[in-house]
Amino acid sequence: MSSILETKNVAFSYENGEDVLKEVSSGIPEGKKTVILGPNGSGKSTLMLHYNGVLKPKKGSVSFRREPLRYDRKGLTSLRQNVCLMFQNPDDQIFAATVEEDVAFGPLNLGLSRDEIEMRVYEALETVDLIKYRERPTQQLSFGQRKRVALAGALAMNPEVLMMDEPTAGLDAQMVHEMMELSEELNHKGKTIVICTHDVEMAYEWADDVILMYEGGVLYNGDIDGLLEREELLHRSRLKYPTIYKLNRQMHIRTGEHELPRPQSLPECCQKFFKSENIAPGNFYIAYVDDPGFDASIIKAFKKHNMGVFGVNAKRTSRSMGLDIHHYFYAIDQGLIKASVGEDYLLLTESSVKGLVKSRIDRFMMNYCSDIQIIPPDDISRRQHV
Ligand SMILES: Nc1ncnc2c1ncn2[C@@H]1O[C@H](COP(=O)(O)OP(=O)(O)OP(=O)(O)O)[C@@H](O)[C@H]1O
């Protein structure tokens, strides 16, 4: 897998002269979800600011698609069309008086037509569910809403690489799920996503690749499984092991259960260790809300707590139709848990994320529970109403 962004022997210090990055060589694989992981002060944000040219290395080089960055105005404008950064603190990013003015700022600087700008602003605000706040003064928004405005500003640039510095910091649990599902969906639609965090649990469930930082250096750069094989590295960087990983290890030590496959999520963990041998799995029904034949009355055939929605557009459509559905977040995981204990589950989603839904369910079935039946939309209408 080729790196879309690379640093080679980058060294950097702020004005006080302290070495913050020390000979950092790293690569971000194209089309993947990468986490820059490390404890506070290890240099994660500083590295991210090098990737999109906000900071210039004192030594070494940064390249995008193998071309060294150019730090003149033209070079940086061109880079920031392709590599956008959502800052840790939205107040470092939001300057305009109203939400839509702020989101339009980047596209306006690209010299796009008025129609194109309006479309991008509309789509970005829809994606982060802030359309109804478009004329609101940015100062009158909550912290979480300002964070979403900052994300919309980055999305409106339609970049190839979206970088987010601590995207979930300061958000409530629902917003954290929303942010992580959205980033997964954007990745599925072709964007390279990079997140800075010290949250090992999140990295373990979400990331394909990791850059592990400690005291300004890179301890590891590669896939997440490779990192977990090297216990000493997380220990050295003062980060804890993910809970599900530790539980799997303990089960291996205590019961002799094979360590592989390593569960990465709650349904995988439950199914590996607490499989209900006497219960036949339930069915996993999938309906696409953007299918012209979609009939919302199918939800009457399911219990409220056995339905969920996945996908930004599917959530919006379901809300606008007033559908009474329980799981608006973690719906795929919830469905897998329900189906593996014998209950039927309906997932409402949209065709643009079909592959993502399929790959998540396939992974679960291949490793942990092959008997769940996936029922396509055409067959749902035959289900008896509850
Ligand atoms: N503007 C600045 N001026 C001087 N020193 C800075 C500045 N920004 C960061 N530093 C220092 O650089 C080091 C790395 O900071 P950085 O913000 O990159 O770390 P981080 O890993 O992102 O931390 P956190 O998890 O706390 O966000 C820290 O020692 C920090 O104090």
Side-chain angles (χ1 to χ4, degrees):
M1 175 64 62
S2 64
S3 294
I4 191 164
L5 280 159
E6 271 179 302
T7 62
K8 282 221 172 77
N9 305 321
V10 162
F12 182 79
S13 53
Y14 289 98
E15 277 168 12
N16 60 13
E18 191 186 317
D19 291 337
V20 171
L21 295 183
K22 302 164 192 163
E23 301 287 328
V24 168
S25 295
S26 64
I28 305 284
E30 183 165 9
K32 298 267 186 187
K33 293 172 288 170
T34 298
V35 149
I36 303 177
L37 188 66
N40 291 138
S42 53
K44 305 183 293 294
S45 304
T46 305
L47 175 61
M48 208 174 228
L49 291 168
H50 276 80
Y51 278 131
N52 91 329
V54 173
L55 296 177
K56 189 174 173 186
K58 300 262 153 96
K59 223 186 96 199
S61 64
V62 185
S63 53
F64 173 66
R65 293 202 176 285
R66 296 206 184 81
E67 290 287 320
L69 300 198
R70 284 180 17 231
Y71 293 89
D72 55 278
R73 193 182 159 86
K74 207 169 147 202
L76 289 177
T77 306
S78 152
L79 176 72
R80 288 182 196 146
Q81 283 177 47
N82 298 312
V83 182
C84 275
L85 172 60
M86 176 185 144
F87 285 76
Q88 184 168 355
N89 181 354
D91 298 331
D92 290 339
Q93 195 171 337
I94 296 175
F95 296 104
T98 69
V99 168
E100 62 187 349
E101 280 169 12
D102 201 81
V103 178
F105 182 78
L108 211 59
N109 276 349
L110 295 180
L112 301 172
S113 71
R114 182 165 287 277
D115 285 352
E116 173 73 17
I117 293 170
E118 273 184 19
M119 193 188 74
R120 287 195 184 199
V121 170
Y122 185 84
E123 281 182 358
L125 287 176
E126 269 224 318
T127 302
V128 300
D129 201 17
L130 278 181
I131 272 291
K132 61 175 185 276
Y133 294 95
R134 60 190 299 171
E135 289 170 12
R136 181 75 67 92
T138 46
Q139 292 310 315
Q140 290 177 15
L141 297 173
S142 73
F143 179 81
Q145 287 166 335
R146 290 206 298 283
K147 215 144 169 144
R148 286 206 242 178
V149 173
L151 177 59
L155 291 176
M157 297 293 282
N158 193 21
E160 287 178 66
V161 184
L162 178 62
M163 304 200 137
M164 299 189 267
D165 194 353
E166 301 279 359
T168 59
L171 299 185
D172 62 30
Q174 176 174 319
M175 291 269 292
V176 168
H177 295 170
E178 199 167 340
M179 195 67 103
M180 297 324 293
E181 284 195 355
L182 176 60
S183 61
E184 215 180 334
E185 194 175 326
L186 291 168
N187 174 251
H188 176 70
K189 290 175 180 168
K191 297 205 186 301
T192 300
I193 312 279
V194 187
I195 283 180
C196 265
T197 188
H198 45 79
D199 183 345
V200 177
E201 307 286 349
M202 191 256 266
Y204 182 63
E205 284 199 34
W206 180 86
D208 301 313
D209 256 58
V210 183
I211 297 173
L212 177 64
M213 307 250 345
Y214 183 62
E215 293 188 345
V218 171
L219 289 186
Y220 176 86
N221 188 178
D223 66 27
I224 186 110
D225 277 342
L227 172 62
L228 295 165
E229 298 293 340
R230 299 189 54 191
E231 286 212 10
E232 81 284 359
L233 292 182
L234 278 182
H235 189 68
R236 234 170 92 195
S237 59
R238 302 197 321 263
L239 292 170
K240 69 181 188 94
Y241 265 77
T243 309
I244 293 178
Y245 176 88
K246 276 196 299 197
L247 180 65
N248 187 53
R249 168 60 61 86
Q250 283 302 309
M251 290 302 265
H252 169 64
I253 294 167
R254 290 165 193 233
T255 68
E257 176 83 58
H258 284 295
E259 222 172 336
L260 297 177
R262 244 182 225 125
Q264 259 181 305
S265 62
L266 189 62
E268 292 182 0
C269 188
C270 292
Q271 193 61 9
K272 181 165 179 184
F273 300 126
F274 314 109
K275 190 169 179 173
S276 318
E277 298 290 353
N278 303 325
I279 300 175
N283 298 325
F284 201 111
Y285 293 80
I286 302 178
Y288 299 96
V289 296
D290 54 340
D291 183 336
F294 174 67
D295 174 6
S297 71
I298 54 165
I299 72 164
K300 294 193 188 116
F302 295 86
K303 292 180 196 149
K304 181 180 168 182
H305 287 79
N306 287 17
M307 290 187 281
V309 193
F310 181 81
V312 172
N313 290 322
K315 284 178 190 171
R316 193 176 312 123
T317 307
S318 307
R319 284 198 178 104
S320 69
M321 291 171 114
L323 303 185
D324 192 13
I325 287 169
H326 195 64
H327 300 128
Y328 268 83
F329 303 100
Y330 275 151
I332 301 176
D333 280 2
Q334 296 289 350
L336 292 172
I337 288 175
K338 295 270 184 183
S340 51
V341 294
E343 296 188 32
D344 288 353
Y345 194 84
L346 171 66
L347 183 77
L348 298 183
T349 185
E350 65 202 62
S351 36
S352 65
V353 291
K354 191 174 188 173
L356 178 55
V357 172
K358 187 174 177 315
S359 69
R360 291 266 294 273
I361 297 176
D362 282 354
R363 180 190 143 97
F364 182 79
M365 288 178 59
M366 192 174 77
N367 291 320
Y368 305 99
C369 186
S370 56
D371 327 331
I372 293 175
Q373 292 291 318
I374 308 294
I375 314 281
D378 289 351
D379 295 347
I380 298 178
S381 47
R382 280 184 237 133
R383 193 171 190 273
Q384 295 289 313
H385 285 207
V386 286

